[in-house]
Amino acid sequence: MTRFASALRTLGVLAAAGLLAGTAAAPSAQAGPEPEAPKEFVALSSVDRTILQEMRYTTVHNFVGERVDGYRQPLCILTRPAAEALHRAQVKLRARGYTLKVYDCYRPQRAVDHFVRWAKDLEDERMKKEFYPLVDKSRLFADGYIAERSGHSRGSTVDVTIVRLPALPTRPYVPGEPLVECSKPRVERFPDNSVDMGTGFDCFDTLSHTDDPRIQGAQRANRQLLKETLAGQGFVNLPEEWWHFTFKPEPFPSTFFDFPVARRSVAGH
């Protein structure tokens, strides 16, 4: 084999492996480094270790029925002002014998994209009976339950509830277990150590509207305690979801981040 032929053969091998400039690179090389969290983001546990964390989207117990893209670890990440405001609310609630519990905090855009793909797949209704029993899946966008952008991705929005102290553990969800409508009475739906808020978390139902007139008594009082305590620290409730609050003013009011939910994203912050 001539030197020229040998060189051509070597070039062909390298090109096939994607190692030459201008050739097809491996997918990992194309993807590039992961987005980084700005210094303004922190792990909630670094500000307040007493707030309970039950990060639902790192599990299969959610309306999608599988772990959601971008949730690498069960960790609440927030902008520092939001985390500090949540800490102040926690101090007030603990004095009254309660603790906060978060279900979701910062949400990467890739997770929102996962929700959108799922919502467009009308055949996938594995979790319908629990989370959206009365809503036709084809209506999820029109009715506002799913959108292509989420305030969670800006880092100052939190899904949160109240738990009476001492906090009892919530039993693990067993994949494939019978599902119960999230709007059923508390003794019937999936157990949660939250005080009774009238529905479960992420319940796609008008009963989840914070001031729905059908919610009365202790359930209404529990919702108002959560809302008033957080409002006192700068959080604004989304009227359609009793669990959804956004700290104002937001440090990033128009930026939707996509760094993963992982300790490395906020290491050293």
Side-chain angles (χ1 to χ4, degrees):
M1 180 182 296
T2 68
R3 182 177 301 177
F4 179 71
S6 177
L8 284 177
R9 182 177 180 182
T10 301
L11 287 172
V13 171
L14 291 174
L19 297 178
L20 287 180
T23 64
S28 59
Q30 288 181 328
E34 286 279 21
E36 296 183 359
K39 292 295 184 181
E40 291 86 349
F41 282 81
V42 296
L44 176 61
S45 58
S46 70
V47 176
D48 192 315
R49 293 184 177 277
T50 69
I51 296 175
L52 303 180
Q53 299 188 28
E54 186 181 317
M55 308 303 290
R56 286 286 185 89
Y57 300 138
T58 64
T59 76
V60 298
H61 188 214
N62 57 66
F63 60 84
V64 176
E66 61 189 18
R67 188 177 187 132
V68 177
D69 291 353
Y71 287 87
R72 307 279 176 79
Q73 294 168 316
L75 178 71
C76 174
I77 295 175
L78 289 168
T79 60
R80 183 174 292 278
E84 291 175 347
L86 211 59
H87 164 69
R88 294 192 297 270
Q90 172 76 338
V91 170
K92 293 184 178 297
L93 284 171
R94 284 181 64 86
R96 300 181 61 171
Y98 297 95
T99 179
L100 291 170
K101 179 175 79 169
V102 294
Y103 295 110
D104 192 35
C105 302
Y106 158 74
R107 180 184 304 166
Q109 180 61 44
R110 70 191 75 181
V112 180
D113 295 341
H114 190 167
F115 292 165
V116 170
R117 291 194 306 273
W118 165 83
K120 291 178 178 178
D121 180 3
L122 301 184
E123 300 300 316
D124 183 356
E125 294 191 326
R126 72 189 101 163
M127 303 300 283
K128 176 178 175 63
K129 186 174 181 180
E130 178 173 353
F131 292 98
Y132 53 108
L134 303 180
V135 180
D136 190 293
K137 192 174 181 184
S138 66
R139 297 282 309 170
L140 292 181
F141 289 103
D143 291 349
Y145 293 112
I146 300 294
E148 294 185 353
R149 291 286 186 270
S150 170
H152 281 274
S153 301
R154 300 193 298 261
S156 296
T157 294
V158 60
D159 292 337
V160 61
T161 189
I162 294 173
V163 176
R164 185 178 293 278
L165 292 170
L168 300 175
T170 295
R171 74 162 176 83
Y173 168 76
V174 180
E177 70 175 85
L179 302 177
V180 178
E181 292 89 334
C182 54
S183 57
K184 287 285 188 179
R186 184 186 186 191
V187 295
E188 298 180 36
R189 62 182 184 259
F190 184 83
D192 189 324
N193 59 4
S194 168
V195 299
D196 190 359
M197 292 292 191
T199 76
F201 165 63
D202 259 356
C203 188
F204 295 5
D205 193 287
T206 54
L207 274 176
S208 295
H209 293 189
T210 307
D211 293 321
D212 188 287
R214 293 169 292 176
I215 301 297
Q216 296 293 327
Q219 296 171 341
R220 190 173 191 84
N222 289 335
R223 290 187 182 189
Q224 290 305 308
L225 175 59
L226 177 62
K227 181 179 178 180
E228 292 170 4
T229 303
L230 291 181
Q233 304 305 323
F235 285 93
V236 177
N237 175 240
L238 179 67
E240 290 77 19
E241 298 178 350
W242 60 256
W243 56 83
H244 181 116
F245 293 84
T246 299
F247 176 76
K248 302 287 186 176
E250 295 183 66
F252 300 99
S254 58
T255 305
F256 299 87
F257 295 95
D258 193 39
F259 59 85
V261 176
R263 293 180 181 88
R264 62 175 293 181
S265 294
V266 291
H269 292 198

